[in-house]
């Protein structure tokens, strides 16, 4: 409605509507409260975890029904990791291994969902950020854009260290990554590190999505060595 | 002027955090199931040493420099077998009893004051001959209780600083801390070190 009235006004009184038009073309930057974003992301991970557990349980149930009905072959038991002859004595560890594998599968499902959410977000953020930029000359330029503009838009700072092997692998290092800066656990540093891994899945997705929208298909692998330092390894396909 | 200890209670009336700087007798680990996990490493019950708990010695009036424990002569609520332990451990209550006492004192005083003077009156602190207890209560129901020596000024502003500083940063904005959960306390490494640093940096500390 406001847009239409400003366009109509443009024919009659151009001087007063020019500020409105230019405001449309170049909107003022909108900012979001950092704390609100943090709370939202915390809840996002919890919600995705719960919903992904439901989804995985549902597919497992359907699979089981199909196995029972004979439509699918019976999968080899997970105790194939432990030799069959020792299965009796290792029954307890076998079940522990099953438990661990199931938990890892769940974590993997959560991570995939978070990464795909991040990809959508990253693509749109990149779209917005480059609307008045020139084309990128080469891949390095695109990566530098990620390191500077995307990082300051999402996490209020720039990447601390960028390394490359000039063969398509870039390592972006952030010495104090905002998303994991406040993570601390009752169980000590090691426990906190383990639990923090899921919280960098979405930022990795943001980077991946932004690069994808800029035309580069990449694989982004986040790694946390010590809190709050985080590195993202960006692998470009051969020939890029 | 020194500061003795800090307790934080959530709106479910459970102790979720404990930190002490000075006590006459060391805090005794709580009975299993008495307190939530993640309150404080010192007072978490350690299942490997059952001999640490001895509730039979509770019927004495003890004066710790941090907590005045006035126990009535009731039979212990949780019947536990007598354990033989060294005399240095038979002093004061196990931590969960102590925490409940502190909370009970604060709650009863607060309710009494509200009834006498009306809703606008707030209980701020009380003083005895050995300690002074300060209370800061947030709108969300978190109660920050600090015990200090009797000559201290009101430490309400310190508690407020703890709330708006380390608490908001490392508890509310920490993804790994479940706030408002009935099963976990809020202790974590960053919160503990930052409150410690903040308190030790105060001019009123020691």
């Amino acid at each position: 409605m406001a847009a239409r009235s400003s366009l109509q006004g443009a024919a009659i009184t151009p001087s007063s509507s020019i500020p409105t038009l230019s405001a449309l073309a170049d909107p003022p930057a909108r900012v979001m409260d950092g704390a609100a974003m943090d709370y939202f992301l915390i809840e996002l991970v919890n919600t995705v975890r719960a919903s992904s557990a439901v989804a995985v349980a549902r597919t497992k149930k359907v699979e089981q029904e199909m196995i029972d009905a004979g439509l699918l072959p019976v999968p080899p038991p997970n105790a194939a990791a432990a030799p069959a002859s020792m299965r009796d004595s290792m029954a307890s560890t076998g079940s522990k291994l099953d438990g661990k594998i199931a938990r890892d599968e769940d974590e993997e499902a959560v991570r995939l969902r978070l990464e795909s959410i991040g990809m959508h977000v990253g693509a749109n953020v990149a779209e917005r950020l480059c609307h008045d930029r020139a084309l990128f000359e080469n891949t390095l330029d695109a990566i530098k854009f990620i390191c500077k503009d995307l990082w300051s838009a999402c996490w209020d700072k720039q990447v601390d260290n960028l390394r490359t092997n000039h063969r398509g692998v870039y390592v972006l290092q952030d010495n104090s990554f905002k998303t994991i800066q406040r993570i601390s656990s009752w169980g000590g540093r090691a426990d906190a590190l383990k639990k923090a891994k899921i919280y960098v899945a979405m930022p990795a997705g943001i980077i991946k999505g932004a690069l994808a929208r800029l035309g580069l298909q990449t694989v982004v692998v986040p790694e946390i060595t010590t809190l709050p330092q985080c590195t993202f390894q960006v692998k470009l396909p051969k020939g890029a | 002027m020194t500061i003795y200890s800090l307790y934080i209670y959530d709106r479910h009336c459970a102790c979720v955090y404990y930190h002490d700087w000075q006590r006459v007798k060391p805090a005794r680990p709580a009975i299993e199931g008495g307190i939530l996990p993640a309150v404080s490493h010192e007072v978490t019950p350690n299942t490997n040493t059952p001999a640490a708990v001895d509730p039979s010695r509770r019927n004495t009036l003890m004066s710790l420099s941090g907590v005045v424990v006035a126990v009535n002569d009731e039979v212990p609520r949780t019947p536990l077998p007598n354990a033989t332990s060294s005399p240095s451990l038979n002093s004061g209550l196990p931590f969960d009893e102590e925490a409940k006492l502190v909370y009970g004192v604060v709650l009863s005083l607060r309710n009494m004051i509200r009834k006498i003077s009306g809703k606008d009156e707030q209980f701020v602190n009380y003083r005895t001959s050995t300690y002074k207890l300060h209370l800061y209560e947030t709108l969300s129901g978190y109660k920050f209780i600090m015990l200090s020596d009797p000559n201290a000024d009101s430490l309400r502003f310190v508690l407020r600083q703890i709330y708006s500083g380390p608490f908001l940063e490392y508890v509310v904005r920490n993804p790994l801390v479940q706030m408002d959960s009935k099963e976990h306390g809020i202790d974590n490494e960053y919160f503990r070190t930052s409150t410690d640093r903040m308190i030790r940096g105060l001019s009123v500390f020691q």
Side-chain angles (χ1 to χ4, degrees):
Chain A
M1 264 61 74
R4 201 174 294 152
S5 63
S6 73
L7 282 173
Q8 283 171 348
I12 306 164
T13 49
S15 52
S16 64
S17 62
I18 284 178
T20 338
L21 275 179
S22 65
L24 264 183
D26 229 346
R30 277 172 279 194
V31 293
M32 182 173 182
D33 181 22
M37 192 68 185
D38 272 354
Y39 304 144
F40 173 70
L41 291 175
I42 295 173
E43 288 311 308
L44 176 70
V45 173
N46 294 340
T47 312
V48 168
R49 198 169 262 154
S51 83
S52 128
V54 167
V56 165
R58 199 169 47 211
T59 47
K60 283 222 167 82
K61 191 161 142 281
V62 169
E63 250 182 43
Q64 191 57 39
E65 280 171 14
M66 290 176 70
I67 290 172
D68 291 339
L71 293 170
L72 278 181
V74 177
N78 277 340
S85 58
M86 289 167 54
R87 199 178 307 171
D88 287 349
S89 61
M90 285 185 71
S92 60
T93 52
S95 63
K96 249 197 295 185
L97 202 60
D98 274 350
K100 188 172 182 307
I101 290 177
R103 261 202 311 279
D104 284 343
E105 276 177 11
D106 284 344
E107 274 300 292
E108 185 61 25
V110 175
R111 197 193 61 82
L112 273 175
R113 280 174 170 76
L114 285 172
E115 193 166 342
S116 53
I117 292 177
M119 282 180 65
H120 287 287
V121 172
N124 293 330
V125 170
E127 193 82 60
R128 246 173 175 254
L129 287 177
C130 341
H131 80 287
D132 56 357
R133 267 193 66 111
L135 277 176
F136 295 113
E137 287 110 46
N138 52 24
T139 331
L140 185 60
D141 226 22
I143 301 280
K144 283 206 280 204
F145 160 78
I146 298 275
C147 293
K148 293 198 198 131
D149 296 322
L150 186 77
W151 230 264
S152 14
C154 292
W155 300 295
D156 254 352
K157 62 192 285 279
Q158 295 191 359
V159 162
D160 293 312
N161 201 341
L162 169 65
R163 293 195 294 273
T164 171
N165 71 353
H166 295 290
R167 260 180 302 220
V169 179
Y170 298 85
V171 177
L172 286 72
Q173 181 174 332
D174 192 335
N175 289 334
S176 168
F177 192 50
K178 206 135 175 277
T179 315
I180 52 173
Q181 204 180 24
R182 293 183 179 86
I183 289 194
S184 174
S185 153
W186 160 249
R189 289 277 166 100
D191 188 47
L193 208 109
K194 204 167 50 139
K195 297 205 175 128
K197 288 196 196 315
I198 195 70
Y199 292 92
V200 286
M202 190 172 133
I206 291 180
I207 300 171
K208 189 169 172 183
L211 285 169
R213 190 59 75 91
L214 296 174
L216 304 164
Q217 294 301 320
T218 59
V219 172
V220 178
V221 177
E223 244 176 59
I224 310 179
T225 38
T226 48
L227 290 167
Q229 208 184 52
C230 185
T231 61
F232 293 88
Q233 203 184 43
V234 177
K235 281 196 247 251
L236 289 155
K238 295 221 163 57
Chain B
M1 281 218 283
T2 63
I3 294 183
Y4 297 146
S5 53
L6 168 73
Y7 298 73
I8 300 182
Y9 294 87
D10 67 357
R11 70 188 180 102
H12 301 293
C13 316
C15 182
V16 289
Y17 184 74
Y18 171 69
H19 195 139
D20 72 27
W21 289 271
Q22 223 180 318
R23 278 183 77 119
V24 164
K25 306 203 173 61
R28 288 180 53 201
I31 303 167
E32 186 73 28
I35 60 167
L36 307 173
V39 170
S40 166
H41 278 291
E42 279 178 77
V43 299
T44 304
N46 189 353
T47 44
N48 295 339
T49 58
V53 176
D54 185 3
S56 63
R57 299 297 218 97
R58 279 193 280 165
N59 301 335
T60 47
L61 183 69
M62 291 267 188
S63 167
L64 312 173
S65 68
V67 177
V68 166
V69 173
V71 189
N72 53 23
D73 290 334
E74 272 178 18
V75 174
R77 273 167 295 214
T78 54
L80 283 178
N82 288 344
T84 52
S85 40
S86 60
S88 61
L89 290 175
N90 293 348
S91 48
L93 299 181
F95 179 75
D96 59 331
E97 298 294 325
E98 181 186 304
K100 282 186 213 161
L101 272 178
V102 171
Y103 184 74
V105 159
V106 163
L107 196 70
S108 344
L109 278 176
R110 207 183 53 146
N111 292 348
M112 185 171 73
I113 285 169
R114 284 234 180 104
K115 285 208 181 101
I116 292 178
S117 325
K119 282 207 194 125
D120 297 328
E121 198 86 1
Q122 283 202 23
F123 163 55
V124 172
N125 56 39
Y126 78 80
R127 193 174 72 160
T128 72
S129 50
T130 38
Y131 71 97
K132 190 170 187 183
L133 181 146
H134 312 256
L135 167 72
Y136 175 65
E137 186 174 354
T138 70
L139 280 171
S140 49
Y142 276 88
K143 298 169 193 56
F144 292 75
I145 293 173
M146 182 168 274
L147 282 91
S148 67
D149 74 313
N151 306 322
D153 299 326
S154 172
L155 290 181
R156 223 173 122 89
F157 79 96
V158 171
L159 290 171
R160 223 195 124 97
Q161 269 182 330
I162 293 180
Y163 173 65
S164 50
F167 188 80
L168 282 186
E169 281 280 306
Y170 298 119
V171 175
V172 178
R173 288 176 84 164
N174 185 345
L176 298 180
V177 169
Q178 308 146 306
M179 298 196 61
D180 219 29
S181 92
K182 300 196 184 155
E183 298 121 34
H184 279 91
I186 58 173
D187 187 14
N188 61 56
E189 197 191 333
Y190 285 4
F191 181 53
R192 193 164 279 273
T193 43
S194 55
T195 22
D196 198 42
R197 211 180 312 145
M198 173 182 273
I199 299 288
R200 282 186 202 272
L202 289 176
S203 55
V204 300
F205 187 73
Q206 263 157 7

